[in-house]
Amino acid sequence: MEKQSNVERLAGYIILIGFTAAIGFTCWYFRSVLIYVILAFVVSLISLPLTRLMRKVKIKGKSMPDWLLAMLSILIVIGGALLIVTQVIPVVISIIREAALFSNMSFPPQGGIVDSLNNKVEDLFPAVGKDFDLISLILNHLKSTTADISITSILGSVASAVADVGIGLFAVIFISFFLVKDEKLFSRIVGTLVPDRFEASVTDAIGDIEHLLSRYFIGLVIEMLVVAILNFLGLWTIANIGFTYALGIGFIAGILNIIPYVGPLIGEILGVVLCTVLKYGTGVGLDVNIVVFAAIVLAIMLGVQLIDNFVLQPIIYSSSIQATPLEIFIVMLMAGHMGGMIGMLAAIPTYTVIRVMAGRFFYKQKIVRRLMPDMVKEVES
């Protein structure tokens, strides 16, 4: 009898491993479809609060039908994203066009700070010669980097990708429409895949996950917009690089800010480089030494980053998913070590799912009770 029980247990493990491997292979093989589903799920989480808000608007005592509410909220979200993209792309193309003109430019003598830097480099590295010019070196490097870049090739690449983007956009809108129209659709689908005794707990867990992730993604969008607007205002009013350029670079920095820890650094470096290129290419910006100008741009973007670090992130990361900053930091480090930037992007949503599932199904464990006391009390009550 005992031998038969062990054989049955082993068979159960083999079936479980085989089933898991089959699911993993299916996800890998249909990874493009899985990406569409994940993006649609994110869009639906951002759209649901808009749908609930618009549902409160009544005309002659009646609210709009669910299908219309779902379509309007999704169009607002997708339209906002496309608006941001249309603001960024023209600026990038303009900067590339200016960079392509470097070969026809003569670089004016800078004097002051730059001359001092040139002299120090010549003292430290005599092999560079007496005619060494730091600014010319940087700009010549940018010229060689962008020499093979043409607007025609960029537009050709974009045009070739339009079909794929169009299909993906349609798939995301189509899937997210049904997820928003029927808020319980996802939980019902998952509920059919689990045993009956776990269905109620799984449904409650999915509800908690959707609520927390919805708050997180909306907070992330707000953070991106605030960072973009603050950078735009600083670059426009202080650095004086012009409305359009400031708007585009501000939104580039805001989009990159979504990538935890690494993104803001990339945004600051890219912002300084782009502003310097624009100053030489178009003459925009404060009438100061190029090093002073770069320092001003860096100070503006660092100031915005400090506001983000000490005001926005604690509210979004800690409050939205109900986790401590120390938890978030450790999770980010582990995710970055395992999966790089992509791992860091997926870290918070994945950790939110793990926390909720642990709180619902392993609430008797000591570590779960310590990390999630509020959720444990809710489950026990």
Side-chain angles (χ1 to χ4, degrees), residues 137-249:
L137 178 66
I138 295 173
L139 293 177
N140 280 323
H141 179 70
L142 286 173
K143 179 184 69 176
S144 63
T145 303
T146 59
D148 297 328
I149 297 177
S150 65
I151 303 302
T152 304
S153 63
I154 293 175
L155 293 178
S157 300
V158 172
S160 65
V162 165
D164 293 337
V165 173
I167 294 173
L169 186 62
F170 175 77
V172 169
I173 293 176
F174 188 80
I175 298 171
S176 58
F177 169 77
F178 289 98
L179 292 176
V180 175
K181 180 177 177 292
D182 186 357
E183 298 182 19
K184 301 296 182 182
L185 177 62
F186 183 73
S187 60
R188 287 205 304 270
I189 292 174
V190 177
T192 60
L193 301 176
V194 300
D196 292 341
R197 65 180 183 275
F198 296 130
E199 184 173 352
S201 298
V202 169
T203 302
D204 292 339
I206 291 174
D208 293 339
I209 291 170
E210 289 179 341
H211 174 68
L212 293 176
L213 288 182
S214 179
R215 291 174 56 183
Y216 169 71
F217 285 120
I218 291 175
L220 207 60
V221 172
I222 294 173
E223 180 192 16
M224 182 195 71
L225 291 176
V226 171
V227 169
I229 291 171
L230 291 178
N231 277 306
F232 155 69
L233 292 175
L235 295 174
W236 182 38
T237 59
I238 300 176
N240 197 27
I241 66 169
F243 182 88
T244 303
Y245 291 132
L247 187 64
I249 294 174

Side-chain angles (χ1 to χ4, degrees), residues 15 28 114 129 145 149 161 167 213 240 292 299 314 319 338 348 370:
I15 293 173
W28 176 82
V114 176
T145 303
I149 297 177
I167 294 173
L213 288 182
N240 197 27
V292 176
S319 302
M338 291 186 294
I348 302 299
R370 292 288 177 86

Side-chain angles (χ1 to χ4, degrees), residues 352-378:
T352 300
V353 174
I354 293 173
R355 289 181 90 256
V356 171
M357 298 304 290
R360 285 288 176 182
F361 295 97
F362 303 101
Y363 58 89
K364 294 183 179 180
Q365 302 297 320
K366 182 178 180 180
I367 186 173
V368 176
R369 302 179 73 89
R370 292 288 177 86
L371 289 176
M372 296 168 284
D374 295 335
M375 182 175 293
V376 170
K377 289 180 181 179
E378 180 184 347

Side-chain angles (χ1 to χ4, degrees), residues 11-22:
Y13 289 148
I14 293 174
I15 293 173
L16 179 61
I17 293 172
F19 182 71
T20 304

Side-chain angles (χ1 to χ4, degrees), residues 84-114:
I84 293 173
V85 172
T86 56
Q87 292 296 326
V88 171
I89 290 178
V91 176
V92 175
I93 293 177
S94 298
I95 293 171
I96 292 173
R97 185 182 293 117
E98 297 301 331
L101 298 176
F102 281 159
S103 58
N104 300 321
M105 292 169 51
S106 59
F107 308 125
Q110 294 298 316
I113 298 175
V114 176

Side-chain angles (χ1 to χ4, degrees), residues 324-360:
T324 64
L326 180 59
E327 285 181 73
I328 299 301
F329 182 72
I330 294 175
V331 169
M332 287 292 187
L333 288 179
M334 296 171 62
H337 179 74
M338 291 186 294
M341 287 188 183
I342 296 178
M344 296 178 77
L345 283 172
I348 302 299
T350 303
Y351 183 59
T352 300
V353 174
I354 293 173
R355 289 181 90 256
V356 171
M357 298 304 290
R360 285 288 176 182

